[in-house]
């Protein structure tokens, strides 16, 4: 158990809908990352928050948005869903903002399986 | 640009065999970090190891060992006396300050059979 908690574990929704994925980081971790894993794209970095502020942005679509709340949990909102958005979405957390910091290991949650039908 | 190459898509071995998973990385950063993660069939990503670019010491943890060679930009992972429970997809990943993110390889699927 990595200590990173993601909900829901599985989600099936229709095209055009909107969903929210939730993540609670490990206790003491200030940084939260979101990754998408799909068969054709592999593991892709979406976005990172550190202590409530957006820190880095990757290949995140405009239909997707995220935020990190004062209690450090994070939500990833996916809207106007398309079939191609079906994927495993991972949340990860670390203590520091920057993985160059000594001891800054990034731990991943179990993922949220999203199926768009 | 940062890149991680795991040329072995799939490896099959019989239990108790040793197996090495290859990882080759590309970066222009002089300071970087390399990771290995395991993804079992259940789907979660399990952290295995983190290695700094300035520490070329090899590491051993039980049946697992890692060989970091800066000269060849490789960070290979060896499982000794493999077990069925080692069956999973293994990912190598690179973190650099320039990219500010973990860049993953495409993964190597390891199948260990009896």
């Amino acid at each position: 158990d990595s200590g990173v908690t993601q909900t829901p574990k599985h989600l099936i929704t229709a095209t055009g809908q909107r969903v929210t994925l939730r993540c609670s980081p490990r206790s003491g971790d200030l940084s939260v990352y979101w990754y998408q894993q799909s068969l054709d794209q592999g593991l892709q970095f979406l976005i990172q928050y550190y202590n409530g502020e957006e820190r880095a942005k990757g290949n995140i679509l405009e239909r997707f948005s995220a935020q990190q709340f004062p209690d450090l949990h994070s939500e990833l909102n996916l809207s106007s869903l398309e079939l191609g958005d079906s994927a495993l979405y991972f949340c990860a957390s670390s203590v520091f903002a920057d993985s160059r910091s000594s001891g800054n290991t990034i731990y991943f949650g179990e993922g949220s399986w999203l199926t768009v039908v | 640009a940062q890149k991680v190459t795991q040329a072995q898509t799939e490896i099959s071995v019989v239990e108790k065999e040793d197996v090495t998973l290859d990882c080759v990385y590309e970066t222009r950063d002089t300071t970087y970090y390399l990771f290995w993660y395991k993804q079992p069939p259940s789907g979660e990503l399990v952290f295995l190891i983190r290695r700094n670019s300035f520490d070329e010491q090899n590491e051993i943890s039980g049946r697992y060992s890692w060989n970091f060679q800066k000269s060849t930009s490789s960070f290979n992972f060896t499982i000794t006396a493999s077990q069925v429970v080692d069956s999973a997809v293994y990912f190598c990943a690179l973190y650099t300050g320039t990219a500010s993110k973990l860049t993953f390889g495409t993964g190597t699927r390891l199948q260990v059979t009896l």
Side-chain angles (χ1 to χ4, degrees), chain A residues 12-16 81-83 86 115-117:
Chain A
I12 301 175
T13 190
T15 55
L81 285 167
E82 302 174 358
L83 296 177
S86 295
T115 302
V116 182
V117 298

Side-chain angles (χ1 to χ4, degrees), chain A residues 33 35 37 43 45 48 55-56 59 88 90 97-111 113, chain B residues 29 31-33 35 37 39 41-47 50 91 95-105:
Chain A
Y33 312 76
Y35 281 79
Q37 185 180 28
L43 273 158
F45 169 69
Q48 178 198 3
R55 189 176 182 279
N59 304 320
L88 179 56
F90 282 107
D98 189 333
S99 267
R100 291 173 295 178
S101 301
S102 175
N104 198 45
T105 293
I106 301 175
Y107 292 95
F108 284 77
E110 294 186 355
W113 291 89
Chain B
D29 286 40
T31 300
Y32 50 89
Y33 294 78
F35 295 74
Y37 289 89
Q39 187 173 37
S42 49
E44 72 268 30
L45 274 173
V46 179
F47 167 77
R50 174 181 181 263
F91 290 94
Y95 183 94
T96 67
T98 304
S100 223
K101 64 175 183 178
L102 270 176
T103 299
F104 282 87

